[in-house]
Amino acid sequence: MKTRVYTYQDLEKQQVQEDIRQTFTEGKNVVFPTETVYGIGGYALSKEGISGIYSVKGRPSDNPLILHVAKQEDIKPFIKTVQPYARKLMEHFWPGPLTLVMEKSDIVPMYITGGLHTVGIRVPGSEIARKVIEIAGLPICAPSANISGRPSSTLVEHVIEDFMDKVDIIIDGGKSEIGLESTVVDVTGEFPEILRPGMVTSEMIKEVVGAVQFSQAIDENDTPKSPGMKYKHYAPKGMLTIIEGSPTQVIDYMNQKIIESKETGVKVGVLIPIEYVGLVEPDEIFMMGSLHNSKEIASNLFEGLRSMDSKNVDVIYTFAFHQGEMKDAIMNRLLKAANYQVISLK
Ligand code: TXA
Ligand code: MG
């Protein structure tokens, strides 16, 4: 297969619009940018379009997909009921980086929900994403555009790395603004329950509806509420470890490890906040942004992990990022990427 790569400006062209519409309708896949990360899209009611996504990503079939629609009214056919507090969340945060898990209607096929009776839906904040959905004129399922287990894509270069000549169309929208995936919230119960932290924080949700809780991840039957929770995620090829402690402790520890690795020939990379640049000298360094700007750190995280891969780093050390409103989302992704390997020097 030869992938057609379009820029977002190309979306104005009639023949490109026709190509996108036809590609989705025929049950083929289109990668497009959103404000969170790039998504690999398929027509939600096309078995072929959805199985294409699962197979090209190598995604386990019980991990459900998020349905993307262009505007709030478009969710109607796909859900049974909406709780009043969920409606408030939609009105407040849509279009935007918030996915709501609701009871699905009968027309939503089980092959997109991984066998669940609920469906996650969002109206993306990105104008380009909404334009793509409007051009398609169809509900679109779009998981993050990465091979399963790899860091999500925040640049078209990442998408090209994973999917060139494996999907029909890739749309280049530049760097993703947020860089971490949407907040996923289960709104089937009495209170909203956060299944995956993102840019819409628990504080923001609480402010709108008065109550919120974090999912316990695993319910009494030992099944995760969000199937995505149980899989290995975002993992770079090199072994990632999070180092916690005072800045001096962390810097000393990393420098010690760098000296040791020089003897053994292990290639070391470090994800570093700009405040500490120059204090650690590994083989490869990636600047995450300022400790005082959690949005900047969030937007660079996946790029940092992927850049370590492209430099064939064996061992990666990162600082922990516990400041700012994106801290929950950042640490959630970082812990998963590190397979929960944390060294605490405190
Ligand atoms: O920002 C995003 O949400 C991006 C962009 C492309 O929109 N998409 C994305 O999709 O991150 P994906 O498939 O990589 O992650 C979806 C997550 C998974 O952890 C999945 O288990 C969970 O949402 N999820 C989807 N539907 C669910 C449902 N019905 N119940 C519980 N969790 C669900
Ligand atoms: Mg994903």
Side-chain angles (χ1 to χ4, degrees):
M1 180 190 300
K2 183 107 187 72
T3 299
R4 296 164 320 267
V5 180
Y6 298 130
T7 65
Y8 69 91
Q9 290 102 328
D10 291 334
L11 296 179
E12 301 304 324
K13 297 179 190 156
Q14 208 176 343
Q15 122 233 10
V16 171
Q17 295 188 359
E18 196 43 54
D19 189 14
I20 291 171
R21 191 175 305 124
Q22 200 173 340
T23 302
F24 275 124
T25 309
E26 285 173 359
K28 295 171 180 164
N29 302 120
V30 175
V31 175
F32 60 95
T34 84
E35 78 281 23
T36 55
V37 298
Y38 278 78
I40 171 168
Y43 171 26
L45 305 182
S46 155
K47 201 163 191 172
E48 215 185 329
I50 299 306
S51 68
I53 292 178
Y54 279 97
S55 70
V56 76
K57 269 181 70 84
R59 182 178 178 105
S61 63
D62 64 346
N63 194 359
L65 307 182
I66 295 172
L67 192 63
H68 294 62
V69 293
K71 50 188 189 312
Q72 193 179 324
E73 304 88 272
D74 296 349
I75 68 170
K76 254 196 200 145
F78 308 110
I79 48 169
K80 274 202 173 133
T81 50
V82 184
Q83 307 238 42
Y85 78 82
R87 181 82 57 193
K88 272 194 190 167
L89 291 174
M90 288 172 198
E91 261 139 38
H92 221 87
F93 297 109
W94 282 359
L98 175 70
T99 296
L100 298 176
V101 172
M102 292 171 278
E103 231 179 292
K104 77 171 196 69
S105 72
D106 292 340
I107 71 160
V108 176
M110 287 285 193
Y111 55 74
I112 77 167
T113 69
L116 297 173
H117 292 278
T118 54
V119 61
I121 307 190
R122 85 180 190 102
V123 177
S126 152
E127 261 177 55
I128 306 173
R130 292 202 306 277
K131 172 120 195 175
V132 170
I133 300 165
E134 264 162 16
I135 289 169
L138 303 166
I140 300 297
C141 280
S144 52
N146 53 279
I147 301 291
S148 212
R150 292 210 70 200
S152 302
S153 295
T154 56
L155 293 171
V156 77
E157 287 79 3
H158 302 160
V159 174
I160 285 171
E161 216 170 83
D162 284 9
F163 296 120
M164 195 61 180
D165 296 336
K166 292 184 186 154
V167 296
D168 277 72
I169 297 176
I170 293 174
I171 299 166
D172 179 356
K175 180 170 166 151
S176 309
E177 195 188 321
I178 297 172
L180 297 181
E181 305 86 345
S182 62
T183 308
V184 179
V185 181
D186 183 328
V187 291
T188 59
E190 200 181 336
F191 303 113
E193 191 177 332
I194 297 181
L195 304 180
R196 177 175 74 183
M199 204 195 129
V200 174
T201 64
S202 59
E203 288 82 10
M204 292 166 160
I205 292 171
K206 196 166 177 195
E207 209 164 288
V208 175
V209 300
V212 67
Q213 61 191 60
F214 270 99
S215 170
Q216 292 304 304
I218 306 287
D219 72 13
E220 52 282 6
N221 306 315
D222 267 7
T223 42
K225 270 224 168 162
S226 181
M229 289 177 181
K230 68 177 185 237
Y231 295 108
K232 197 166 159 43
H233 260 101
Y234 316 118
K237 291 172 201 144
M239 196 176 74
L240 174 68
T241 308
I242 303 169
I243 316 294
E244 290 196 315
S246 71
T248 326
Q249 283 175 323
V250 175
I251 287 163
D252 287 350
Y253 180 90
M254 287 182 182
N255 280 328
Q256 183 57 39
K257 287 290 168 189
I258 290 164
I259 292 169
E260 285 170 26
S261 68
K262 290 246 178 343
E263 286 157 20
T264 49
V266 169
K267 193 170 180 186
V268 180
V270 171
L271 306 180
I272 199 162
I274 49 170
E275 283 82 359
Y276 306 141
V277 168
L279 302 178
V280 186
E281 282 178 4
D283 300 298
E284 298 295 343
I285 202 153
F286 183 87
M287 277 190 262
M288 297 283 283
S290 171
L291 279 173
H292 304 293
N293 187 347
S294 68
K295 285 190 176 160
E296 186 183 18
I297 306 263
S299 74
N300 289 327
L301 177 58
F302 288 135
E303 189 182 340
L305 294 173
R306 280 193 180 243
S307 90
M308 292 293 150
D309 278 358
S310 67
K311 289 165 181 161
N312 291 312
V313 167
D314 302 304
V315 172
I316 311 161
Y317 295 109
T318 180
F319 288 74
F321 300 96
H322 290 299
Q323 292 177 45
E325 58 187 302
M326 294 295 281
K327 64 177 187 298
D328 288 342
I330 294 169
M331 289 311 292
N332 168 274
R333 307 311 191 275
L334 213 45
L335 280 163
K336 285 187 180 177
N339 208 8
Y340 300 91
Q341 267 201 123
V342 181
I343 291 181
S344 181
L345 306 168
K346 282 179 216 163

